[in-house]
Amino acid sequence: HLRSLLTSCPTHNLPPPTLLQNEFNPLITLPPSLLNFLQKNNIKYQAHTCLCGRSKFLLNHPLVHEISERLSVDAADVLFRYAKKKVGNVIIKSDSPEKVIKNFTTIKCKEWDIAEEDMERLDGIKEGVEFKGFGEGGTVFSWVREECPSFYD
């Protein structure tokens, strides 16, 4: 879909996309083929839903708690920092202005960091998640609105 969008932009006199926003957390990461494609096409990536949405699965995961306790930070802090280290740009969202400020501060904080071995352990959390590939019959993102406009009705 992203390839189609890129090829159709000049035809319709539209600028090419410059940003891809997608859910990103230890369960849903980006394959190297997609990262390479984005870099090649000068498209930035921005992570959202770093805490796994309304699901508390990652916030309650034993590994996330182990790391957060060792670093004396919240489980959410670990997940935001994980996303920041992996992709750089992270969307902070909350119904609470206080949480937005706290989460933003967590991302910018230089007082603590997640060790590389813990990053690798977090990468291994992908329980029950299967990625079908980029350009080989599946994508990381779904473009639901374009493919099924009544989805949000």
Side-chain angles (χ1 to χ4, degrees):
H1 301 298
L2 190 54
R3 284 187 180 103
S4 298
L5 180 61
L6 282 169
T7 57
S8 69
C9 285
T11 305
H12 300 288
N13 201 27
L14 296 171
T18 58
L19 178 70
L20 173 65
Q21 295 177 333
N22 199 72
E23 181 171 357
F24 186 91
N25 54 57
L27 295 175
I28 301 174
T29 58
L30 297 176
S33 59
L34 177 55
L35 286 174
N36 292 337
F37 179 84
L38 295 174
Q39 288 174 346
K40 178 182 170 193
N41 289 283
N42 202 29
I43 300 172
K44 301 290 183 200
Y45 182 83
Q46 190 170 46
H48 67 74
T49 321
C50 300
L51 306 182
C52 202
R54 299 234 180 253
S55 164
K56 301 293 183 207
F57 176 79
L58 285 174
L59 288 172
N60 295 325
H61 196 281
L63 176 58
V64 175
H65 274 275
E66 174 196 321
I67 295 168
S68 70
E69 287 175 12
R70 187 171 355 100
L71 295 172
S72 299
V73 297
D74 294 338
D77 296 342
V78 170
L79 296 170
F80 280 123
R81 181 58 61 91
Y82 171 86
K84 173 71 174 166
K85 284 185 78 164
K86 287 288 189 173
V87 298
N89 296 313
V90 178
I91 296 174
I92 302 298
K93 179 183 175 274
S94 176
D95 295 333
S96 161
E98 293 81 17
K99 282 187 180 178
V100 169
I101 292 168
K102 180 194 177 298
N103 295 338
F104 182 76
T105 303
T106 293
I107 288 175
K108 296 293 183 185
C109 176
K110 296 184 189 304
E111 295 173 11
W112 65 273
D113 204 357
I114 301 173
E116 196 54 43
E117 55 270 12
D118 285 334
M119 291 292 288
E120 291 172 10
R121 292 174 66 206
L122 288 167
D123 286 340
I125 287 181
K126 297 177 184 77
E127 300 172 50
V129 174
E130 181 179 329
F131 175 69
K132 296 182 181 177
F134 178 66
E136 297 117 27
T139 62
V140 173
F141 43 91
S142 62
W143 296 77
V144 173
R145 183 177 296 278
E146 289 79 14
E147 297 204 301
C148 184
S150 63
F151 181 83
Y152 292 103
D153 294 343

mmCIF file of all heavy atoms in Angstrom, residues 24-58:
data_model
loop_
_atom_site.group_PDB
_atom_site.id
_atom_site.type_symbol
_atom_site.label_atom_id
_atom_site.label_comp_id
_atom_site.label_asym_id
_atom_site.label_seq_id
_atom_site.Cartn_x
_atom_site.Cartn_y
_atom_site.Cartn_z
ATOM 1 N N PHE A 24 4.069 0.560 17.830
ATOM 2 C CA PHE A 24 5.398 0.008 18.033
ATOM 3 C C PHE A 24 5.603 -0.282 19.507
ATOM 4 O O PHE A 24 5.447 0.596 20.351
ATOM 5 C CB PHE A 24 6.479 0.981 17.547
ATOM 6 C CG PHE A 24 7.854 0.379 17.604
ATOM 7 C CD1 PHE A 24 8.360 -0.290 16.511
ATOM 8 C CD2 PHE A 24 8.616 0.463 18.752
ATOM 9 C CE1 PHE A 24 9.616 -0.870 16.560
ATOM 10 C CE2 PHE A 24 9.875 -0.113 18.825
ATOM 11 C CZ PHE A 24 10.378 -0.781 17.723
ATOM 12 N N ASN A 25 5.922 -1.504 19.807
ATOM 13 C CA ASN A 25 6.239 -1.943 21.157
ATOM 14 C C ASN A 25 6.952 -3.288 21.024
ATOM 15 O O ASN A 25 7.155 -3.749 19.904
ATOM 16 C CB ASN A 25 4.963 -2.020 22.025
ATOM 17 C CG ASN A 25 3.886 -2.876 21.404
ATOM 18 O OD1 ASN A 25 4.103 -4.049 21.121
ATOM 19 N ND2 ASN A 25 2.713 -2.292 21.172
ATOM 20 N N PRO A 26 7.360 -3.913 22.103
ATOM 21 C CA PRO A 26 8.083 -5.180 21.942
ATOM 22 C C PRO A 26 7.301 -6.266 21.200
ATOM 23 O O PRO A 26 7.902 -7.202 20.687
ATOM 24 C CB PRO A 26 8.374 -5.607 23.383
ATOM 25 C CG PRO A 26 8.475 -4.322 24.128
ATOM 26 C CD PRO A 26 7.414 -3.447 23.494
ATOM 27 N N LEU A 27 5.997 -6.145 21.122
ATOM 28 C CA LEU A 27 5.208 -7.126 20.379
ATOM 29 C C LEU A 27 5.111 -6.806 18.898
ATOM 30 O O LEU A 27 4.993 -7.691 18.066
ATOM 31 C CB LEU A 27 3.780 -7.211 20.952
ATOM 32 C CG LEU A 27 3.663 -7.741 22.365
ATOM 33 C CD1 LEU A 27 2.218 -7.647 22.836
ATOM 34 C CD2 LEU A 27 4.162 -9.163 22.459
ATOM 35 N N ILE A 28 5.124 -5.531 18.569
ATOM 36 C CA ILE A 28 4.971 -5.100 17.176
ATOM 37 C C ILE A 28 6.146 -4.190 16.839
ATOM 38 O O ILE A 28 6.174 -3.026 17.205
ATOM 39 C CB ILE A 28 3.637 -4.366 16.968
ATOM 40 C CG1 ILE A 28 2.476 -5.279 17.328
ATOM 41 C CG2 ILE A 28 3.524 -3.865 15.530
ATOM 42 C CD1 ILE A 28 1.120 -4.630 17.292
ATOM 43 N N THR A 29 7.117 -4.745 16.148
ATOM 44 C CA THR A 29 8.305 -4.000 15.778
ATOM 45 C C THR A 29 8.385 -3.891 14.260
ATOM 46 O O THR A 29 7.512 -4.377 13.558
ATOM 47 C CB THR A 29 9.568 -4.681 16.338
ATOM 48 O OG1 THR A 29 9.637 -6.011 15.831
ATOM 49 C CG2 THR A 29 9.559 -4.708 17.863
ATOM 50 N N LEU A 30 9.415 -3.259 13.778
ATOM 51 C CA LEU A 30 9.574 -3.064 12.340
ATOM 52 C C LEU A 30 10.619 -4.012 11.777
ATOM 53 O O LEU A 30 11.716 -4.106 12.324
ATOM 54 C CB LEU A 30 10.022 -1.638 12.045
ATOM 55 C CG LEU A 30 9.072 -0.538 12.437
ATOM 56 C CD1 LEU A 30 9.704 0.809 12.159
ATOM 57 C CD2 LEU A 30 7.772 -0.666 11.685
ATOM 58 N N PRO A 31 10.306 -4.659 10.676
ATOM 59 C CA PRO A 31 11.319 -5.494 10.034
ATOM 60 C C PRO A 31 12.349 -4.609 9.336
ATOM 61 O O PRO A 31 12.023 -3.501 8.899
ATOM 62 C CB PRO A 31 10.512 -6.304 9.026
ATOM 63 C CG PRO A 31 9.337 -5.449 8.712
ATOM 64 C CD PRO A 31 9.016 -4.711 9.990
ATOM 65 N N PRO A 32 13.569 -5.071 9.222
ATOM 66 C CA PRO A 32 14.608 -4.277 8.546
ATOM 67 C C PRO A 32 14.206 -3.869 7.126
ATOM 68 O O PRO A 32 14.555 -2.776 6.684
ATOM 69 C CB PRO A 32 15.814 -5.207 8.541
ATOM 70 C CG PRO A 32 15.590 -6.127 9.689
ATOM 71 C CD PRO A 32 14.094 -6.297 9.775
ATOM 72 N N SER A 33 13.451 -4.723 6.417
ATOM 73 C CA SER A 33 13.056 -4.378 5.046
ATOM 74 C C SER A 33 12.191 -3.125 5.014
ATOM 75 O O SER A 33 12.328 -2.292 4.114
ATOM 76 C CB SER A 33 12.328 -5.543 4.383
ATOM 77 O OG SER A 33 11.172 -5.893 5.117
ATOM 78 N N LEU A 34 11.319 -2.954 6.009
ATOM 79 C CA LEU A 34 10.484 -1.753 6.050
ATOM 80 C C LEU A 34 11.327 -0.535 6.428
ATOM 81 O O LEU A 34 11.181 0.531 5.827
ATOM 82 C CB LEU A 34 9.317 -1.918 7.025
ATOM 83 C CG LEU A 34 8.410 -0.704 7.197
ATOM 84 C CD1 LEU A 34 7.848 -0.217 5.859
ATOM 85 C CD2 LEU A 34 7.278 -1.009 8.161
ATOM 86 N N LEU A 35 12.207 -0.687 7.402
ATOM 87 C CA LEU A 35 13.074 0.437 7.780
ATOM 88 C C LEU A 35 13.918 0.887 6.590
ATOM 89 O O LEU A 35 14.059 2.090 6.337
ATOM 90 C CB LEU A 35 13.976 0.043 8.946
ATOM 91 C CG LEU A 35 13.296 -0.041 10.307
ATOM 92 C CD1 LEU A 35 14.262 -0.577 11.359
ATOM 93 C CD2 LEU A 35 12.744 1.299 10.729
ATOM 94 N N ASN A 36 14.471 -0.051 5.848
ATOM 95 C CA ASN A 36 15.261 0.287 4.657
ATOM 96 C C ASN A 36 14.414 1.006 3.615
ATOM 97 O O ASN A 36 14.847 1.985 3.007
ATOM 98 C CB ASN A 36 15.885 -0.963 4.045
ATOM 99 C CG ASN A 36 16.953 -1.556 4.937
ATOM 100 O OD1 ASN A 36 17.535 -0.881 5.776
ATOM 101 N ND2 ASN A 36 17.195 -2.842 4.773
ATOM 102 N N PHE A 37 13.190 0.516 3.414
ATOM 103 C CA PHE A 37 12.285 1.139 2.455
ATOM 104 C C PHE A 37 11.988 2.582 2.853
ATOM 105 O O PHE A 37 12.008 3.492 2.020
ATOM 106 C CB PHE A 37 10.991 0.333 2.360
ATOM 107 C CG PHE A 37 9.976 0.909 1.418
ATOM 108 C CD1 PHE A 37 10.038 0.624 0.060
ATOM 109 C CD2 PHE A 37 8.961 1.732 1.879
ATOM 110 C CE1 PHE A 37 9.111 1.154 -0.821
ATOM 111 C CE2 PHE A 37 8.032 2.269 1.008
ATOM 112 C CZ PHE A 37 8.102 1.981 -0.346
ATOM 113 N N LEU A 38 11.706 2.801 4.128
ATOM 114 C CA LEU A 38 11.402 4.154 4.612
ATOM 115 C C LEU A 38 12.606 5.075 4.429
ATOM 116 O O LEU A 38 12.452 6.204 3.949
ATOM 117 C CB LEU A 38 10.977 4.108 6.078
ATOM 118 C CG LEU A 38 9.661 3.377 6.380
ATOM 119 C CD1 LEU A 38 9.434 3.290 7.883
ATOM 120 C CD2 LEU A 38 8.488 4.020 5.683
ATOM 121 N N GLN A 39 13.784 4.603 4.785
ATOM 122 C CA GLN A 39 14.989 5.430 4.629
ATOM 123 C C GLN A 39 15.242 5.752 3.160
ATOM 124 O O GLN A 39 15.546 6.887 2.818
ATOM 125 C CB GLN A 39 16.192 4.715 5.238
ATOM 126 C CG GLN A 39 16.149 4.695 6.746
ATOM 127 C CD GLN A 39 17.258 3.854 7.357
ATOM 128 O OE1 GLN A 39 17.918 3.076 6.684
ATOM 129 N NE2 GLN A 39 17.452 4.018 8.660
ATOM 130 N N LYS A 40 15.105 4.755 2.316
ATOM 131 C CA LYS A 40 15.341 4.944 0.880
ATOM 132 C C LYS A 40 14.399 5.995 0.300
ATOM 133 O O LYS A 40 14.756 6.746 -0.607
ATOM 134 C CB LYS A 40 15.164 3.620 0.158
ATOM 135 C CG LYS A 40 15.343 3.692 -1.334
ATOM 136 C CD LYS A 40 15.111 2.332 -1.972
ATOM 137 C CE LYS A 40 15.060 2.477 -3.478
ATOM 138 N NZ LYS A 40 14.536 1.281 -4.105
ATOM 139 N N ASN A 41 13.177 6.056 0.828
ATOM 140 C CA ASN A 41 12.168 6.973 0.313
ATOM 141 C C ASN A 41 12.013 8.228 1.163
ATOM 142 O O ASN A 41 11.033 8.959 1.021
ATOM 143 C CB ASN A 41 10.829 6.237 0.172
ATOM 144 C CG ASN A 41 10.868 5.246 -0.957
ATOM 145 O OD1 ASN A 41 10.777 5.617 -2.118
ATOM 146 N ND2 ASN A 41 11.041 3.970 -0.624
ATOM 147 N N ASN A 42 12.975 8.464 2.063
ATOM 148 C CA ASN A 42 12.983 9.664 2.897
ATOM 149 C C ASN A 42 11.688 9.838 3.702
ATOM 150 O O ASN A 42 11.126 10.928 3.784
ATOM 151 C CB ASN A 42 13.266 10.907 2.043
ATOM 152 C CG ASN A 42 13.794 12.041 2.887
ATOM 153 O OD1 ASN A 42 14.430 11.815 3.914
ATOM 154 N ND2 ASN A 42 13.524 13.261 2.470
ATOM 155 N N ILE A 43 11.230 8.735 4.270
ATOM 156 C CA ILE A 43 10.021 8.734 5.092
ATOM 157 C C ILE A 43 10.433 8.462 6.534
ATOM 158 O O ILE A 43 11.106 7.480 6.822
ATOM 159 C CB ILE A 43 9.018 7.656 4.620
ATOM 160 C CG1 ILE A 43 8.600 7.926 3.166
ATOM 161 C CG2 ILE A 43 7.797 7.618 5.534
ATOM 162 C CD1 ILE A 43 7.770 6.815 2.553
ATOM 163 N N LYS A 44 10.052 9.344 7.432
ATOM 164 C CA LYS A 44 10.340 9.173 8.856
ATOM 165 C C LYS A 44 9.324 8.205 9.453
ATOM 166 O O LYS A 44 8.200 8.066 8.967
ATOM 167 C CB LYS A 44 10.260 10.505 9.599
ATOM 168 C CG LYS A 44 11.204 11.558 9.093
ATOM 169 C CD LYS A 44 12.615 11.201 9.438
ATOM 170 C CE LYS A 44 13.540 12.324 8.981
ATOM 171 N NZ LYS A 44 14.885 11.888 8.855
ATOM 172 N N TYR A 45 9.719 7.573 10.547
ATOM 173 C CA TYR A 45 8.827 6.659 11.262
ATOM 174 C C TYR A 45 8.543 7.235 12.640
ATOM 175 O O TYR A 45 9.443 7.765 13.299
ATOM 176 C CB TYR A 45 9.479 5.278 11.417
ATOM 177 C CG TYR A 45 8.562 4.303 12.109
ATOM 178 C CD1 TYR A 45 7.591 3.625 11.395
ATOM 179 C CD2 TYR A 45 8.638 4.101 13.477
ATOM 180 C CE1 TYR A 45 6.724 2.757 12.025
ATOM 181 C CE2 TYR A 45 7.774 3.233 14.121
ATOM 182 C CZ TYR A 45 6.825 2.569 13.400
ATOM 183 O OH TYR A 45 5.956 1.715 14.027
ATOM 184 N N GLN A 46 7.287 7.135 13.061
ATOM 185 C CA GLN A 46 6.896 7.612 14.384
ATOM 186 C C GLN A 46 6.065 6.532 15.064
ATOM 187 O O GLN A 46 5.076 6.053 14.506
ATOM 188 C CB GLN A 46 6.107 8.908 14.269
ATOM 189 C CG GLN A 46 5.864 9.583 15.598
ATOM 190 C CD GLN A 46 5.296 10.970 15.410
ATOM 191 O OE1 GLN A 46 4.379 11.170 14.630
ATOM 192 N NE2 GLN A 46 5.835 11.936 16.131
ATOM 193 N N ALA A 47 6.496 6.140 16.249
ATOM 194 C CA ALA A 47 5.829 5.076 17.001
ATOM 195 C C ALA A 47 4.661 5.612 17.808
ATOM 196 O O ALA A 47 4.718 6.708 18.353
ATOM 197 C CB ALA A 47 6.833 4.411 17.933
ATOM 198 N N HIS A 48 3.614 4.821 17.881
ATOM 199 C CA HIS A 48 2.521 5.108 18.815
ATOM 200 C C HIS A 48 2.104 3.807 19.484
ATOM 201 O O HIS A 48 2.568 2.738 19.125
ATOM 202 C CB HIS A 48 1.333 5.809 18.123
ATOM 203 C CG HIS A 48 0.601 4.987 17.119
ATOM 204 N ND1 HIS A 48 -0.247 3.965 17.441
ATOM 205 C CD2 HIS A 48 0.595 5.064 15.767
ATOM 206 C CE1 HIS A 48 -0.758 3.440 16.345
ATOM 207 N NE2 HIS A 48 -0.256 4.074 15.306
ATOM 208 N N THR A 49 1.248 3.903 20.478
ATOM 209 C CA THR A 49 0.730 2.756 21.220
ATOM 210 C C THR A 49 1.877 1.922 21.800
ATOM 211 O O THR A 49 1.884 0.697 21.727
ATOM 212 C CB THR A 49 -0.208 1.898 20.336
ATOM 213 O OG1 THR A 49 -1.004 2.753 19.528
ATOM 214 C CG2 THR A 49 -1.146 1.052 21.185
ATOM 215 N N CYS A 50 2.849 2.601 22.374
ATOM 216 C CA CYS A 50 4.028 1.933 22.940
ATOM 217 C C CYS A 50 3.691 1.059 24.147
ATOM 218 O O CYS A 50 4.466 0.185 24.514
ATOM 219 C CB CYS A 50 5.068 2.974 23.342
ATOM 220 S SG CYS A 50 5.612 3.979 21.955
ATOM 221 N N LEU A 51 2.537 1.322 24.759
ATOM 222 C CA LEU A 51 2.137 0.538 25.932
ATOM 223 C C LEU A 51 1.195 -0.597 25.565
ATOM 224 O O LEU A 51 0.633 -1.240 26.436
ATOM 225 C CB LEU A 51 1.472 1.445 26.972
ATOM 226 C CG LEU A 51 2.261 2.668 27.412
ATOM 227 C CD1 LEU A 51 1.493 3.445 28.478
ATOM 228 C CD2 LEU A 51 3.637 2.282 27.905
ATOM 229 N N CYS A 52 0.993 -0.843 24.283
ATOM 230 C CA CYS A 52 0.149 -1.930 23.788
ATOM 231 C C CYS A 52 -1.335 -1.582 23.930
ATOM 232 O O CYS A 52 -2.169 -2.429 24.218
ATOM 233 C CB CYS A 52 0.485 -3.230 24.497
ATOM 234 S SG CYS A 52 0.008 -4.709 23.590
ATOM 235 N N GLY A 53 -1.674 -0.329 23.738
ATOM 236 C CA GLY A 53 -3.074 0.096 23.772
ATOM 237 C C GLY A 53 -3.692 -0.085 25.144
ATOM 238 O O GLY A 53 -3.037 0.047 26.169
ATOM 239 N N ARG A 54 -4.965 -0.408 25.151
ATOM 240 C CA ARG A 54 -5.691 -0.581 26.418
ATOM 241 C C ARG A 54 -5.348 -1.906 27.098
ATOM 242 O O ARG A 54 -5.657 -2.115 28.247
ATOM 243 C CB ARG A 54 -7.191 -0.482 26.179
ATOM 244 C CG ARG A 54 -7.593 0.863 25.620
ATOM 245 C CD ARG A 54 -8.672 1.475 26.473
ATOM 246 N NE ARG A 54 -9.063 2.763 25.957
ATOM 247 C CZ ARG A 54 -8.727 3.908 26.542
ATOM 248 N NH1 ARG A 54 -8.009 3.904 27.627
ATOM 249 N NH2 ARG A 54 -9.124 5.050 26.034
ATOM 250 N N SER A 55 -4.721 -2.796 26.368
ATOM 251 C CA SER A 55 -4.284 -4.069 26.939
ATOM 252 C C SER A 55 -3.198 -3.798 27.969
ATOM 253 O O SER A 55 -2.318 -2.976 27.765
ATOM 254 C CB SER A 55 -3.734 -4.971 25.836
ATOM 255 O OG SER A 55 -2.991 -6.024 26.404
ATOM 256 N N LYS A 56 -3.237 -4.481 29.055
ATOM 257 C CA LYS A 56 -2.214 -4.329 30.098
ATOM 258 C C LYS A 56 -1.144 -5.409 29.987
ATOM 259 O O LYS A 56 -0.317 -5.570 30.868
ATOM 260 C CB LYS A 56 -2.862 -4.382 31.490
ATOM 261 C CG LYS A 56 -3.922 -3.324 31.724
ATOM 262 C CD LYS A 56 -3.323 -1.948 31.758
ATOM 263 C CE LYS A 56 -4.386 -0.925 32.074
ATOM 264 N NZ LYS A 56 -4.102 0.365 31.546
ATOM 265 N N PHE A 57 -1.157 -6.163 28.873
ATOM 266 C CA PHE A 57 -0.242 -7.283 28.716
ATOM 267 C C PHE A 57 1.209 -6.875 28.931
ATOM 268 O O PHE A 57 1.922 -7.472 29.730
ATOM 269 C CB PHE A 57 -0.414 -7.935 27.337
ATOM 270 C CG PHE A 57 0.560 -9.035 27.075
ATOM 271 C CD1 PHE A 57 0.359 -10.294 27.626
ATOM 272 C CD2 PHE A 57 1.690 -8.826 26.299
ATOM 273 C CE1 PHE A 57 1.261 -11.314 27.406
ATOM 274 C CE2 PHE A 57 2.600 -9.844 26.069
ATOM 275 C CZ PHE A 57 2.382 -11.094 26.628
ATOM 276 N N LEU A 58 1.662 -5.859 28.213
ATOM 277 C CA LEU A 58 3.060 -5.449 28.353
ATOM 278 C C LEU A 58 3.333 -4.762 29.682
ATOM 279 O O LEU A 58 4.390 -4.961 30.280
ATOM 280 C CB LEU A 58 3.474 -4.532 27.199
ATOM 281 C CG LEU A 58 3.702 -5.236 25.869
ATOM 282 C CD1 LEU A 58 3.964 -4.213 24.765
ATOM 283 C CD2 LEU A 58 4.854 -6.222 25.961
#
